[in-house]
Amino acid sequence: MGERESSSTEELAARQRSPSNSSLPVGPDAVAELGPQLAGTTTLADTGKAAVLPAAQILQFQRLVGNGAVARLLAPERASTSRAYAHPATRDLLPTRTNQGLPGIQRYSEDDVKGRAYEIWQKKGSPEGQSKEEQDADYATARRELHKAENPIIAPAPVAGTSIHPVLQRGQPADPAALEELQQKLGSVLGPEAVESMKADADEDVKTRAHSIWEGKGSPADQTKEQQDADYEGGRRQLDEDVTKRAYSIWEGKGSPAGQTKEQQDTDHSQARQEIRAEAGLGAATEKAIKEFQKRNGLPESGIADAATWDLLDASGKSSVGRVEREWEQTLQGTDYGMTSKFSYKIDDKRILVSVGINFVPSATDPPPDLGAVVKKWKTRILGRWNLFKAVKEGTSDSRDIDFESVPTGGNSVEVIDAPYPSDAAHWSVPDNENDNGPAHEFGHLIGLADEYLQTHDEYERLHPDASQDEIDAADSPGGYGDPGDYTNETSMMGLGALSPHDDRTADPEPRHVREFAGYVENYVGGEWKVVHR
Amino acid sequence: MIALSRTGGLRRPVFRELLQIDDGQFTLWRSVGKATSPPSAIGRFAGTLAPGDRDGLAEAAERAAASGAQKRTITPDSPVDTFDVDGVQATLGFYDRGEGAWEALADRVRPLLHQLTELPVAAVDLSIEEDGASLEHHGSGVLRLELSSLMVTADLWTSGQQEGSWSSGPVELGKVGADSGWRQTLPFDHPFALEPGKRLSVQVTFGAYDGDKLVPVSLLSTKQL
């Protein structure tokens, strides 16, 4: 597949230089296999390596036939036996640009390598007269470090046909962050008028309460204008009371901190208002805006923010807030593993705060004597492991810390078991997780990362493109007990680094593990962003 | 024929276990002693199911097979339980009870992985005494063991909180064919003050041969002081 491979690689390199270019060549294999499946929805022609597919068409393929088929047929050199890695085209197309499982593309230049090698030489005390081997070793280390910092592979692709966002529709409660993200993205695409009109949805919360007041009076049919106005006024008062009560709960949830500033109180009220709005679900104005967006993009005008609508919104809209509920799967040694990872994020001038909801539930049969103490210890270890990075805009001093927090609500439920049973992403054993990095590893799953400890040779090489043959051999079934062909990544938090002692930092998460979150900043702020250690 | 194989998991050693039941007779190979409460032995086990265990098992298996194969998505890091009834399979995660007829069968078969260790052919268990810890052979057959990089770890707990942790590091105890009466005292020079009310948890990892295949195994034992 020589010609095709080089063409695809060139295309990928071009993509790196120009993120807005989102297209790929089509070959005869793709036409033969994808064509019949796409019959009636689109036409796929063998255009050869000189032609390209538009972004929307690749999106459509992924939705219809899944990431695996698209990856295998459109860029076979990058396809993997695991579905953990999606097609590179998704980088600039699918939700938030960078969260769909990314290819190992070299973004650093030879000048960067030279610069890093020079720093390594300086760190050694600038020794004179280094041998050729020593210089080569410095260059190899530099290359490896740069790759580790920039290699953006990790987050697995969502299951074909699903969205990474919750479906939002009238009459159903919405996640507050998802609703705000939807409105921001719709507003950024449809313009200021849509933004203004969607604000009218807030009136529905007053109307609902006014209606209840009217019903409480026996639903009189012939109310005067004054009586109707009085009901509305009552509705406003009720809403204010509800917001105040909710804000008080939010304050209690933070541990009832004394001496909050006016700004902090306002933030609590704003959050309370947003939550109440979200509980009521989509308003009529937002539904109308969705229909307008769907009409403009040739989608059925359902007024429902479904997977297809979200995908196109993600490709064209911007938001400082987001909600991700990604159902993903990973096939390891013939077994399908998977889960739905759920988190919200919020970007401001200083950071992107990623809120991961973890509801720790004591086991019915083996509850820990002091759940609070166990959870507190785990949270400290998790955040100590993950809050290490910041996103930096290329060529500027603009940066945002990538901060994670664990909050009690928001979706992921973890059973805490005080017995020597095995742990998994949804069941955490107290003795299992006492000494190692298990909680930080499982947290990685909750933010959407796949396992790296049962990899094939090919997958291992994708993550470690600069590894020598000796290193590859050493990584193959280390310890001699595993089966040949098992690559366990013992220095990766998502590999068997999970089992290193909790105070051993050799298995800290790597920048590539949090590349997705720099992608959200990139999507909102614009420009090219990379992840570095703080 | 009914079979349950339990494999994988995040922590080492991974599970590599197989239970086979045919007309009330069973054979079991077990490699991880800690996934039950209380923890129990590893090695080879065989015998006849107790009448209480046999009752309804064949019927449950027949219903499961008739309902067709069941393949569930496994939670990341979970060991994988594969149930097989005459070639029809269901694949479940460790904590996943499955659905329908397979759930009923899983509820009957899973406890046997633990209960049947009462019938050892060639098995090894871990015991903690006042003055130390030891491996002990159970049954009448020989179990070949690889103890050349055996490791003992111990944790002391007070009211659910870990007070201290200790490891022997790799210890060279060679290769042995453990048979009836075999006992191996383990290195146990931990620094803990073993006071009443505390709980001592000891784990030992080494290798054992399942036929010609060397399998990493682990044993756990806890003692309320």
Side-chain angles (χ1 to χ4, degrees), chain A residues 146-212:
Chain A
L146 285 166
H147 176 79
K148 282 183 89 167
E150 294 184 352
N151 181 358
I153 299 176
I154 282 306
V159 171
T162 65
S163 169
I164 68 164
H165 302 288
V167 171
L168 303 181
Q169 63 187 94
R170 285 278 276 171
Q172 291 186 6
D175 176 88
L179 181 57
E180 192 177 347
E181 179 182 12
L182 175 72
Q183 290 176 331
Q184 280 196 30
K185 286 185 172 170
L186 284 169
S188 71
V189 174
L190 299 176
E193 274 185 29
V195 174
E196 278 308 307
S197 70
M198 283 187 284
K199 284 180 183 169
D201 281 348
D203 289 344
E204 290 192 8
D205 297 327
V206 176
K207 282 183 194 167
T208 307
R209 285 162 178 77
H211 188 76
S212 294

Side-chain angles (χ1 to χ4, degrees), chain A residues 21-156:
Chain A
N21 177 11
S22 30
S23 54
L24 282 172
V26 182
D29 292 348
V31 174
E33 190 162 334
L34 293 181
Q37 298 183 65
L38 300 171
T41 60
T42 189
T43 303
L44 187 64
D46 176 6
T47 50
K49 69 175 182 176
V52 294
L53 282 177
Q57 206 164 19
I58 297 175
L59 271 175
Q60 190 184 13
F61 291 172
Q62 289 193 290
R63 184 145 307 291
L64 289 167
V65 301
N67 272 326
V70 174
R72 185 163 41 80
L73 293 164
L74 296 186
E77 80 285 6
R78 300 231 172 247
S80 153
T81 53
S82 164
R83 274 183 280 164
Y85 306 104
H87 189 266
T90 58
R91 171 160 197 263
D92 294 320
L93 302 176
L94 280 177
T96 64
R97 295 177 185 276
T98 56
N99 62 351
Q100 296 302 302
L102 307 166
I105 298 170
Q106 179 178 318
R107 302 177 70 179
Y108 54 86
S109 67
E110 281 311 295
D111 281 343
D112 293 329
V113 177
K114 203 180 288 182
R116 181 61 66 94
Y118 183 71
E119 286 170 15
I120 291 167
W121 174 73
Q122 281 184 315
K123 272 188 187 170
K124 293 193 295 187
S126 310
E128 294 289 336
Q130 280 211 137
S131 67
K132 173 78 167 55
E133 286 73 18
E134 287 168 329
Q135 288 176 22
D136 286 349
D138 289 352
Y139 270 75
T141 305
R143 223 174 274 282
R144 193 171 300 123
E145 285 182 10
L146 285 166
H147 176 79
K148 282 183 89 167
E150 294 184 352
N151 181 358
I153 299 176
I154 282 306

